[in-house]
Amino acid sequence: MGMLSAFANPHRFLALSNWLAPLFYGVGAAMIAWGLWQGLWVVPKDDYQGGDIMRVMFIHVPAAWLAMASYSGMAAASFIWFIWRHELADIAAKAIAPLGAVWTALCLATGSIWGKPTWGTWWQWDDARMMSVLFLFFLFLGYMALRAAMDSRQKAARAGAILAMVGALNVPLIKFSVDMFTSLHQDASVITVDGPKMAAVYLWPLMMSGLGHMLLFGGLVMTLMRAEIWTRRAARQRARLLAGA
Amino acid sequence: MSPKPILSAFRQALSEAWAGGAGALLPLGFFAGAAVLVPLGIGTEPGMLRAVGPGILWVSLALSSLVTLERIFQSDVEDGTLDLWLQAGAPVSAIAAAKTFAHWLTAGLPLALMSPVLALMFQAEASLSLLTGALIYGLGGLAFFFWGGVGAALSATVRRGGLLIALIALPLYVPTAIFGSMAMRGAAFGDTAPLLLAASTLFALAAAPFAMAAALRLAAD
C-alpha cells in the first residue's frame, strides 16, 4: 500500500508524468517503428500463415495484448478506487476506458483483415478469441456510456467502478462459455499465431512492437489523466471565483 | 434485521405488475410479437424455422427482460421508498433480489411457460422435451433478469435508461445465452449444458444482488 499511496498524490503524479509521458511516447514510437520496419520489410513472409498478410500480426497481436491488459487495468483501478477512494485511481480508470476501446477495435479490425484472405471470411463466429474480444469491446462501451449518463463526477466514478467490477467478475465466465460454444464446431482452418513454434525471426519484432504499443498506451493514459486533473482544478477554481464574486 | 421490508417489497412488486391495465400480459405480447416477426423477416421454410426457433426464443426472452426492467427501481428512487429502506437499515441487497425475483415471476416465468406454444409455431415436434425447454427458458430468464437488474439499478437515475441497460447487460447475458442454446440443442451434450446453465444462473443469483445494492445506494445519494 505504501507505493500506492505515493502514487495517489496528484502533485507527485503531475511531476512524474510530466517527463515520463514524453519519454514513453518517444521510446514507444521508436520501438513500434523498428518493429514495423522489421515486420513489413525485413522478416521473410510465412506462407503457412497466409503469405504477406501475416505481417499484420505486428499490429494485431500487440493490440490483442493491450485489449486484455487494459480491461484488467481498468477493473483494478476501479477496485482500488472503490475500496480506498484514491481519486487518482478513478481518474486512471476513466482514462483507460476510451483507449482500451480503441485498441480493442484495432484488434478486431486487424483480425478481420487477416481473416479475410486466410480464413476466407471477415468474421468467424466460431473463433473464440474474436468473440471474447468483441464482448470486451461492448464492456468498454457500456462503461463509457454509463459514466457519461451520470449527472455528477462522484456518481460517475461509483457507477463506473461497480460496473467494471461486475464485468471483471463475469469475464472468466464469458471466456469459458465462448470457448465451449466454439469448440462445438471446431474448424480445422483456425490458424494460431501463438502456435507451438514461432520462429525467433518474428519474435523480436513482435516483442518490440508489443512493448512499444504498451509504452504508447501508458503515455496516452498519463496524458488523459493529466488533462482530467487540470480540468477538475479549473472547475474548482471557477467555483471559487464565482463564490467570491 | 426483520424480513418485513423484503416481503413488502416483494408483494408490492407483484401487485404493481398486475395493476395498470394489461399488467403482466404486456411482456407476453412483446415476446410473442418479437418472435412472430421472425418468420415474416426470414421466410417460412419449415426446416429453417425449426433450426432457428430455439435461438429466436432466447433472443426474444432477452429483449423482453430488457424492455420490462427499465422501471423496476426507478419508482423507488423517485418516491423516496429507497431512502426509507436505507434509513431503516433494511437489507437492500435482499430487497433488490426479492423485487427482481417478483419481476421474473410476472414477466419472465409466463414467457417460459408460453415457449412450448411458440416452439410449435416454429415447427418443433410436439413432445415432452418442450416442457423441459420451458424449464430451461425459465432458468435462463432468471439469470437475464438478475444481470439486467444490475443494469437497471445502475441506471435508475438516468432518463431513458432502457437503452443504457441493454448496452450494459449485453455482455453479461453471453454465458446464459450460450449455455441456454446449447441446452436447447440437447442430445449432443447430455446433462452438461443444462448443469452449466443452472450453475451460471446460481452465480447470477449470488453475485447480482450485491451489485444491485451498491448501485441503489449510489442512486439514493
Side-chain angles (χ1 to χ4, degrees):
Chain A
M1 272 321 292
M3 199 186 78
L4 213 59
S5 308
F7 280 119
N9 180 335
H11 292 287
R12 206 168 294 151
F13 172 78
L14 282 176
L16 182 74
S17 61
N18 196 28
W19 59 270
L20 201 56
L23 183 72
F24 274 25
Y25 285 135
V27 178
M31 289 172 99
I32 293 174
W34 186 82
L36 282 185
W37 170 64
Q38 287 282 316
L40 292 182
W41 283 285
V42 178
V43 299
K45 66 178 178 183
D46 184 344
D47 286 322
Y48 180 67
Q49 303 275 8
D52 271 325
I53 193 67
M54 54 72 69
R55 299 179 192 278
V56 77
M57 169 176 85
F58 297 101
I59 296 175
H60 176 69
V61 173
W65 287 340
L66 272 168
M68 291 180 283
S70 57
Y71 195 82
S72 317
M74 192 177 86
S78 299
F79 181 75
I80 290 169
W81 183 84
F82 201 76
I83 302 297
W84 290 288
R85 290 291 198 270
H86 282 316
E87 273 311 295
L88 216 49
D90 174 57
I91 293 173
K94 188 186 177 188
I96 292 173
L99 296 170
V102 165
W103 258 272
T104 310
L106 184 69
C107 175
L108 289 171
T110 49
S112 282
I113 291 169
W114 195 355
K116 182 60 184 162
T118 46
W119 299 343
T121 174
W122 296 104
W123 189 260
Q124 181 89 345
W125 288 103
D126 289 349
D127 188 64
R129 292 162 301 164
M130 283 185 119
M131 299 270 283
S132 299
V133 173
L134 178 67
F135 296 129
L136 209 53
F137 184 61
F138 279 115
L139 283 171
F140 278 122
L141 291 190
Y143 178 87
M144 286 190 285
L146 180 64
R147 283 196 79 120
M150 292 289 145
D151 53 13
S152 77
R153 191 162 57 71
Q154 193 69 14
K155 282 191 171 184
R158 266 170 80 180
I162 295 168
L163 181 61
M165 289 190 292
V166 168
L169 210 60
N170 271 278
V171 162
L173 190 59
I174 295 175
K175 180 86 180 63
F176 174 73
S177 64
V178 166
D179 281 346
M180 276 213 62
F181 178 68
T182 53
S183 65
L184 290 185
H185 11 156
Q186 192 57 262
D187 197 332
S189 75
V190 174
I191 296 162
T192 54
V193 222
D194 39 15
K197 47 177 194 284
M198 176 158 198
V201 64
Y202 299 129
L203 202 59
W204 271 108
L206 186 59
M207 286 312 225
M208 286 301 247
S209 183
L211 271 175
H213 275 262
M214 284 172 204
L215 290 178
L216 178 62
F217 190 92
L220 283 169
V221 168
M222 279 191 263
T223 302
L224 280 187
M225 288 174 69
R226 291 171 64 83
E228 177 74 20
I229 292 174
W230 286 115
T231 308
R232 290 183 183 190
R233 285 192 179 176
R236 266 203 301 275
Q237 192 69 26
R238 191 169 51 209
R240 211 174 293 145
L241 283 175
L242 284 175
Chain B
M1 161 179 151
S2 79
K4 243 182 135 181
I6 305 173
L7 279 177
S8 70
F10 182 72
R11 241 181 268 130
Q12 186 208 350
L14 281 184
S15 57
E16 260 174 17
W18 284 107
L25 287 178
L26 267 181
L28 274 180
F30 182 89
F31 183 60
V36 166
L37 264 180
V38 172
L40 305 183
I42 65 170
T44 55
E45 203 269 305
M48 182 176 60
L49 285 183
R50 198 171 299 134
V52 300
I56 298 301
L57 291 187
W58 278 114
V59 173
S60 309
L61 184 62
L63 286 180
S64 51
S65 76
L66 289 174
V67 169
T68 56
L69 274 168
E70 183 177 359
R71 294 277 312 160
I72 177 172
F73 296 120
Q74 268 182 4
S75 57
D76 298 327
V77 175
E78 283 161 8
D79 67 9
T81 312
L82 178 62
D83 293 325
L84 289 179
W85 286 336
L86 289 172
Q87 271 173 22
V92 181
S93 54
I95 291 177
K99 282 200 72 144
T100 314
F101 186 71
H103 205 75
W104 170 80
L105 274 182
T106 53
L109 190 60
L111 308 193
L113 296 178
M114 195 168 84
S115 69
V117 180
L118 286 171
L120 287 176
M121 289 170 73
F122 277 96
Q123 313 294 332
E125 298 294 331
S127 73
L128 266 182
S129 68
L130 290 183
L131 296 180
T132 325
L135 191 69
I136 288 171
Y137 286 118
L139 209 53
L142 199 54
F144 282 164
F145 276 81
F146 268 74
W147 288 128
V150 174
L154 278 171
S155 52
T157 56
V158 178
R159 299 261 157 259
R160 286 165 47 75
L163 299 173
L164 191 57
I165 299 176
L167 186 56
I168 291 174
L170 171 78
L172 307 179
Y173 279 16
V174 169
T176 304
I178 288 177
F179 295 142
S181 69
M182 279 167 60
M184 288 311 293
R185 274 177 286 164
F189 310 101
D191 290 341
T192 322
L195 285 178
L196 284 172
L197 178 70
S200 64
T201 300
L202 280 178
F203 175 62
L205 292 180
F210 296 102
M212 287 193 267
L216 287 176
R217 284 203 185 87
L218 157 67
D221 276 359

